[in-house]
Amino acid sequence: PDKDGISAIGIVATMAASVCSRGETLVSHLQHLHDKYGEFVCNNGYYRCNDPAIVKRIIEQMRNGGRYYENVGGYDVESIRDLGIGYDSTTKDKKAMLPSSASSPMITFRFDNGCVAQFRASGTEPKFKYYIEMRGRLGEKKADVEKRLTKMSGVILEELLRPAENGLILPSNL
């Protein structure tokens, strides 16, 4: 069994008990949160990458020689956190508040439109993982948020990872 999944089911069960004690269902509670904060959608996945040197090259390309990108494919970057070197553009001293590790770098791009994209190599498998998420505007339909995220994800992945150039393999092509 997956330890993260076991932990998650415990948390969901606790939340379900609390929600049910108020006469709600998990579905109605989730809808209330969407109504209050907007729809959240994500596009998480990975590319297979058998050569650790390629992962290092991709990370270095994202760092752009220390001049992190202000724009990616037409989308303005609001901030960047690079836990591989301990950098965070949102802090006064530009140092990350989270732990950093050169051996397992993770770079997070926050965009002006609310999209957040994180990239890291798997510590156990030959994978380069991405986690891209976006919050919709209040009242915006989930399908519309998904459409915007799908378009933006394609641009971000192409611009930052350059899959063809770097020989990355989509899982569907294995």
Side-chain angles (χ1 to χ4, degrees), residues 41 75 113 134-137 140 142-153:
V41 297
Y75 297 100
N113 67 357
M134 179 181 284
R135 184 180 93 182
R137 296 177 288 269
E140 185 177 15
K142 185 174 183 178
D144 293 336
V145 184
E146 287 172 336
K147 187 184 292 184
R148 287 193 303 124
L149 181 63
T150 297
K151 178 182 176 189
M152 188 168 178
S153 293

Side-chain angles (χ1 to χ4, degrees), residues 18 26 70 73 77 83 115 121 129 133 149 161 165 173:
S18 173
L26 283 175
E70 295 178 6
V77 175
L83 295 179
C115 180
K129 297 183 173 188
E133 59 190 43
L149 181 63
L161 302 186
E165 177 183 323
N173 295 335

Side-chain angles (χ1 to χ4, degrees), residues 23-59:
E24 291 182 73
T25 66
L26 283 175
V27 171
S28 67
H29 181 67
L30 184 59
Q31 187 58 54
H32 169 74
L33 293 173
H34 289 312
D35 294 344
K36 185 175 181 177
Y37 298 106
E39 296 283 349
F40 283 76
V41 297
C42 62
N43 175 15
N44 302 330
Y46 68 91
Y47 288 94
R48 188 160 184 91
C49 181
N50 296 315
D51 184 353
I54 292 174
V55 171
K56 287 182 181 182
R57 182 172 69 219
I58 292 170
I59 294 291

Side-chain angles (χ1 to χ4, degrees), residues 96-110:
M97 295 176 14
L98 295 173
S100 59
S101 169
S103 64
S104 54
M106 179 172 67
I107 297 181
T108 304
F109 288 78
R110 288 188 178 279

Side-chain angles (χ1 to χ4, degrees), residues 70-137:
E70 295 178 6
N71 186 287
V72 176
Y75 297 100
D76 290 332
V77 175
E78 178 180 289
S79 65
I80 296 179
R81 182 178 57 220
D82 182 347
L83 295 179
I85 62 169
Y87 173 81
D88 188 333
S89 67
T90 66
T91 61
K92 279 187 177 181
D93 62 2
K94 305 299 181 204
K95 297 201 183 300
M97 295 176 14
L98 295 173
S100 59
S101 169
S103 64
S104 54
M106 179 172 67
I107 297 181
T108 304
F109 288 78
R110 288 188 178 279
F111 294 88
D112 284 352
N113 67 357
C115 180
V116 178
Q118 293 187 42
F119 303 92
R120 70 175 183 86
S122 169
T124 58
E125 302 172 287
K127 295 178 178 179
F128 194 82
K129 297 183 173 188
Y130 59 88
Y131 310 87
I132 307 173
E133 59 190 43
M134 179 181 284
R135 184 180 93 182
R137 296 177 288 269

